């Protein structure tokens, strides 16, 4: 599903340049649930942003579902993001003047899906994350965990090939974090490919594979026995 | 393009900060209001002036005689002279592009003494000896009977067409008047018709107190011989009378042995020239109205643009999220542009409606309190409204242009990072 070869990325700041990713190689297959681990500043978000086509790589190659991701203009990148990817952010990033169901329906709107179908699908995914009764509420009326679940429903709505979550539990207490991870695991059980960036080991252990980043290189890439979050819920 | 969702979002965004939106809208509202009011005032002024001209054929020259100021061909200066009926034929012959040449003699009442008598009633009226064509130069509605015609001229019939106010002064309310006789300076004339002029300006009353009799009968009855008091000369529509009036003057100057450089002998009033000058004034007024209105509007537009920039800035993160979810840059640009156009047009429409109401009110007051000098029916027509809407549309686009561009200039990754 995802193939990365010799990926380099530096940030230029004036005359200095900060080499953040120093030649990464890895593949992710369909249906995997991968944690990208590492301490703060190790380049996790940078990697995820490149995989999410929000940022460009300097060197190397990136292929997503057989499509080489290279020299995309903004319109094309937006189309690819819409079709291939679902994002889950640490700070939820719901649109504050839109209701839960409107937020979930957004990616479908950008796909040109008609109104009725959009509404149906959005409600279906809200139901999947257990928030159907909250469909008409604004984000400000939801708790942190509920917001993140709406965000997950939104990421699912476009039926993307890969879900990308950058510290999805970073803003939540541990109980709520486990609830969110439980949801993510269930979505993965349905066959969805998911990448989770985290610096918390217990969250990483709930994935099926851990890629450990340190100083811009992969120091470890191992399969793990998944800890089910449901036991904590 | 105009999907329900877009409208919903526009309304959501604009109603989030109602007070700010209203304040911004006011700038545009005010601008278009000023523009509409200025244009309407200009129109009112124009209507007022135009009414002064009545519906007289404006391509017309009035010409009379004055004292000769230069000695010429053995004739002294300071003498008086008279146009003759022969001048009319000579003018026709020597000048191209003419439509009507109407010689006229006139009899006034001096010092308010009554010059027209009928039985026991009498009045002071202006009496014209005219040709039938005069009705095309100085239009009037024939209310009853008929106007003078060519056979009246040929046979020197003693007939008269009187103004509705003349009739009112000389006859009882429901008395028959057609076929009766009135005495003008002691000569009997038979009334054959009444007229009413549609002048609605200040001397409208005077216009209904005139009597028209055949030119030839006038000359005979009042001993004018072949003298002509003055002439009303109208040129064809595509020939401005102003351009050919010198040729006309040359003809009469030659006929009456007047020095070609004598500027005073031929007295005249060039209605066309006057009319063109006034038309120029209207153009200038309209230009000023647009200029001032558009300037005021411009400051409103800049206000909109400014607010949209702030809105875009505030929504940087949101725009980043939307782009991450796959909204294309064009869609975002369109959204900002539509918000701007929508805000501009709505507030502009409010300005148009309010302006129209004010104009309506002013018209109502004018109607209530009778006519005001040189100011009639200030109004805006559909053309002006259309132009205003087009201006609004364009300015909304202009106002949204910079903000829309700045919205998609930020890369999504940076937009997402901003807090
Ligand atoms: N836009 C940027 N410009 C400059 N430096 C950046 C930028 N984004 C990230 N960095 C730097 O790159 C390094 C990796 O950042 P990041 O990928 O966000 O780390 P992580 O998500 O693992 O905490 C950090 O040192 C950070 O300061
Ligand atoms: Mg990070």
């Amino acid at each position: 599903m995802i193939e990365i070869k010799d990926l380099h990325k530096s940030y230029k700041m004036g005359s200095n340049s900060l080499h953040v990713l120093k030649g990464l190689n890895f593949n992710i297959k369909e249906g995997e649930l991968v944690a990208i681990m590492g301490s703060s500043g190790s380049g996790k978000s940078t990697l995820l942003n490149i995989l999410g086509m929000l940022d460009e790589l300097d060197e190397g190659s990136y292929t997503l579902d057989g499509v080489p991701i290279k020299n995309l203009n903004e319109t094309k990148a937006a189309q690819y993001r819409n079709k291939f990817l679902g994002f889950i952010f640490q700070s939820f990033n719901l649109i504050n003047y839109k209701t839960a169901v409107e937020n979930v329906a957004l990616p479908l709107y950008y796909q040109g899906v008609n109104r009725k179908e959009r509404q149906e699908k959005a409600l279906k995914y809200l139901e999947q994350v257990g928030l159907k009764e909250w469909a008409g509420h604004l984000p400000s009326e939801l708790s942190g965990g509920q917001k993140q679940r709406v965000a997950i429903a939104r990421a699912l709505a476009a039926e993307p090939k890969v879900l990308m979550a950058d510290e999805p539990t970073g803003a939540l207490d541990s109980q709520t974090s486990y609830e969110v991870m439980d949801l993510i695991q269930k979505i993965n059980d349905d066959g969805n490919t998911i990448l989770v960036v985290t610096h918390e080991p217990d969250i990483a252990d709930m994935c099926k594979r851990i890629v450990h980043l340190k100083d811009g290189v992969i120091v470890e890439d191992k399969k793990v026995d998944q800890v089910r979050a449901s036991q904590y819920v | 393009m105009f999907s329900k969702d877009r409208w919903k979002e526009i309304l959501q965004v604009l109603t989030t900060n109602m007070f700010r939106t209203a304040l911004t809208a006011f700038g545009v509202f005010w601008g278009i209001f000023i523009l509409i009011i200025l244009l309407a005032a200009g129109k009112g002024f124009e209507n007022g002036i135009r009414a002064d001209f009545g519906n007289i054929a404006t391509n017309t020259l009035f010409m009379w005689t004055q004292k000769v100021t230069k000695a010429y061909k053995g004739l002294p200066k300071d003498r008086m002279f008279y146009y003759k009926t022969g001048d009319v034929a000579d003018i026709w012959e020597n000048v191209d592009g003419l439509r009507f040449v109407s010689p006229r003699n006139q009899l006034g009442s001096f010092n308010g003494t009554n010059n027209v008598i009928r039985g026991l009633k009498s009045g002071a009226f202006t009496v014209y000896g005219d040709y039938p064509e005069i009705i095309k130069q100085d239009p009037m509605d024939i209310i009853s009977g008929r106007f003078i015609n060519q056979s009246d001229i040929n046979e020197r019939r003693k007939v008269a067409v009187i103004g509705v106010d003349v009739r009112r002064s000389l006859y009882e309310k429901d008395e028959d008047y057609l076929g009766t006789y009135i005495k003008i300076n002691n000569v009997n004339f038979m009334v054959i018709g009444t007229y009413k002029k549609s002048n609605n300006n200040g001397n409208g009353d005077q216009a209904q107190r005139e009597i028209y009799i055949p030119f030839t009968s006038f000359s005979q009855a009042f001993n004018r011989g072949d003298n002509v008091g003055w002439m009303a000369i109208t040129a064809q529509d595509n020939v401005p009378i102003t351009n050919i009036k010198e040729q006309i003057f040359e003809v009469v100057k030659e006929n009456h042995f007047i020095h070609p450089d004598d500027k005073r002998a031929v007295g005249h009033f060039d209605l066309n020239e006057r009319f063109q000058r006034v038309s120029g004034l209207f153009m200038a007024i309209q230009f000023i109205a647009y200029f001032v209105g558009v300037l005021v509007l411009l400051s409103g537009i800049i206000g909109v643009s400014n607010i949209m920039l702030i809105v875009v800035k505030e929504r940087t993160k949101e725009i980043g999220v939307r782009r991450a979810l796959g909204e294309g840059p064009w869609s975002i640009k369109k959204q900002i542009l539509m918000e701007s156009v929508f805000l501009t047009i709505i507030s502009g429409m409010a300005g148009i409606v309010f302006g129209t109401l004010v104009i309506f009110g002013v018209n109502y007051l004018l109607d209530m309190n009778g006519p005001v000098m040189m100011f009639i029916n200030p109004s805006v027509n559909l053309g002006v409204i259309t132009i205003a809407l087009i201006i609004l549309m364009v300015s909304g686009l202009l106002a949204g242009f910079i903000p829309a561009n700045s919205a998609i200039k930020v890369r999504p990754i940076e937009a997402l990072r901003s807090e």
Side-chain angles (χ1 to χ4, degrees), chain A residues 49 54-56 74-75 78 81-82 87 89 91 93 95 97-98 102 106-107 109-110 115 118 154, chain B residues 3-6 8-9 12-13 315 317-318 321-329 411-413 416:
Chain A
N49 287 336
L54 294 169
D55 207 350
E56 276 147 30
E74 246 312 297
T75 309
R81 283 196 291 266
N82 187 250
F87 287 96
F89 304 94
S91 52
N93 284 343
I95 290 172
Y97 57 84
K98 288 183 186 289
E102 283 172 341
L106 267 184
Y109 176 57
Y110 303 141
R115 198 180 164 72
R118 238 161 41 213
R154 181 175 69 183
Chain B
S3 73
K4 200 175 161 189
D5 305 82
R6 281 226 183 260
K8 193 166 171 201
E9 184 160 330
Q12 279 173 334
V13 168
R315 291 167 73 193
K317 180 100 185 234
E318 179 202 323
V321 173
R322 291 162 53 142
R323 292 172 76 179
L325 295 180
E327 180 166 17
R411 293 173 57 220
I413 169 115
L416 279 171

Side-chain angles (χ1 to χ4, degrees), chain B residues 29 32-33 36-37 345-361 380 385 389 392:
Chain B
F29 167 87
I32 210 82
F33 174 74
I36 295 277
I37 291 293
I345 287 196
I346 287 296
S347 32
M349 297 264 251
I352 291 174
V353 169
F354 187 63
T356 314
L357 282 178
V358 168
I359 292 162
F360 194 77
V380 287
I385 306 255
L389 281 177
L392 282 173

Side-chain angles (χ1 to χ4, degrees), chain B residues 390-415:
Chain B
I390 291 173
I391 291 180
L392 282 173
M393 188 90 174
V394 172
S395 21
L397 282 175
L398 285 180
F401 191 73
I402 297 175
N405 271 329
S406 85
I408 60 166
K409 218 162 52 200
V410 188
R411 293 173 57 220
I413 169 115
E414 270 135 39

Side-chain angles (χ1 to χ4, degrees), chain B residues 259-276:
Chain B
H259 195 286
D261 294 337
D262 193 333
K263 295 274 179 248
R264 305 287 302 279
V266 178
H268 70 276
F269 179 81
D270 184 343
L271 194 58
N272 177 54
E273 190 182 56
R274 199 57 72 90
F275 189 74
Q276 294 308 333

Side-chain angles (χ1 to χ4, degrees), chain B residues 156-284:
Chain B
R156 305 181 181 205
R157 291 186 188 133
K158 297 215 163 39
V159 292
V161 179
I162 62 177
V164 285
D165 286 348
V166 177
R167 204 220 78 197
R168 222 166 274 147
S169 305
L170 298 181
Y171 294 86
E172 295 301 332
K173 205 166 173 30
D174 30 42
E175 206 180 341
D176 285 337
Y177 52 90
L178 291 179
T180 63
Y181 285 86
I182 54 176
K183 263 195 167 70
I184 302 172
N185 276 8
N186 282 322
V187 182
N188 270 321
F189 284 83
M190 186 175 78
V191 175
I192 55 166
T194 52
Y195 76 86
K196 186 170 171 38
K197 288 187 184 175
S198 62
N199 273 12
N200 46 358
N201 61 334
N203 53 16
D205 290 346
Q206 203 50 45
Q208 320 301 349
R209 297 176 63 82
E210 293 165 349
I211 297 174
Y212 290 84
I213 62 180
F215 181 84
T216 47
S217 330
F218 187 107
S219 303
Q220 192 176 50
F222 306 116
N223 295 319
R224 296 297 170 93
D226 59 351
N227 284 357
V228 172
W230 53 306
M231 297 189 216
I233 303 175
T234 303
Q236 290 165 8
D237 287 345
N238 54 350
V239 184
I241 191 80
T242 315
N243 295 1
I244 57 171
K245 67 182 178 188
E246 287 303 330
Q247 295 176 41
I248 298 170
F249 299 161
E250 274 167 29
V251 172
V252 293
K253 280 177 179 172
E254 181 161 338
N255 281 358
H256 299 280
F257 307 107
I258 295 160
H259 195 286
D261 294 337
D262 193 333
K263 295 274 179 248
R264 305 287 302 279
V266 178
H268 70 276
F269 179 81
D270 184 343
L271 194 58
N272 177 54
E273 190 182 56
R274 199 57 72 90
F275 189 74
Q276 294 308 333
R277 203 179 307 158
V278 173
S279 299
L281 183 67
F282 299 147
M283 292 275 286

Side-chain angles (χ1 to χ4, degrees), chain B residues 18 49 55 71 77 136-137 144 147 182 194 196 239 241 277 283 286 291 300 322 371:
Chain B
M18 246 348 233
I49 304 267
N55 39 16
K77 60 180 196 172
K136 290 174 186 145
Q137 292 168 286
S144 63
F147 196 63
I182 54 176
T194 52
K196 186 170 171 38
V239 184
I241 191 80
R277 203 179 307 158
M283 292 275 286
Q286 211 174 46
F291 187 73
R322 291 162 53 142

Side-chain angles (χ1 to χ4, degrees), chain B residues 33-197:
Chain B
F33 174 74
I34 297 274
L35 177 66
I36 295 277
I37 291 293
L38 286 179
L39 283 175
K43 191 73 189 170
F45 184 51
E46 178 175 343
N47 288 342
I49 304 267
R50 277 196 203 280
D52 243 17
F53 282 94
N55 39 16
I56 291 177
T58 50
N59 198 13
T60 298
L61 171 78
F62 299 98
M63 189 168 86
W64 57 91
T65 60
Q66 296 180 164
K67 253 186 204 156
V68 177
T69 57
K70 276 188 159 73
Y72 187 56
K73 292 200 172 164
L75 290 167
K77 60 180 196 172
D78 288 338
R79 67 191 165 91
M80 276 305 288
F81 75 106
Y82 296 96
Y83 298 135
K84 301 287 176 187
T85 45
D87 289 329
V88 177
D90 287 341
I91 289 170
W92 273 119
E93 198 166 309
N94 291 298
V95 183
D96 290 333
L98 295 175
R99 195 155 157 234
F100 306 115
V101 180
S102 302
R104 163 184 270 189
N105 280 314
Q106 180 179 350
L107 194 75
S109 100
F110 297 99
N111 310 322
T113 54
N114 293 343
N115 55 352
V116 181
I117 304 171
R118 178 183 169 269
L120 294 174
K121 299 190 173 212
S122 63
F125 307 107
T126 308
V127 182
Y128 294 123
D130 264 318
Y131 275 83
E133 285 79 28
I134 195 73
I135 198 168
K136 290 174 186 145
Q137 292 168 286
D138 184 6
M140 56 190 108
D141 294 327
I142 300 301
I143 301 293
S144 63
R146 63 171 179 85
F147 196 63
I148 50 180
N149 61 27
Q150 194 57 39
S151 3
D152 296 333
I153 298 283
N154 296 345
E155 292 169 29
R156 305 181 181 205
R157 291 186 188 133
K158 297 215 163 39
V159 292
V161 179
I162 62 177
V164 285
D165 286 348
V166 177
R167 204 220 78 197
R168 222 166 274 147
S169 305
L170 298 181
Y171 294 86
E172 295 301 332
K173 205 166 173 30
D174 30 42
E175 206 180 341
D176 285 337
Y177 52 90
L178 291 179
T180 63
Y181 285 86
I182 54 176
K183 263 195 167 70
I184 302 172
N185 276 8
N186 282 322
V187 182
N188 270 321
F189 284 83
M190 186 175 78
V191 175
I192 55 166
T194 52
Y195 76 86
K196 186 170 171 38
K197 288 187 184 175

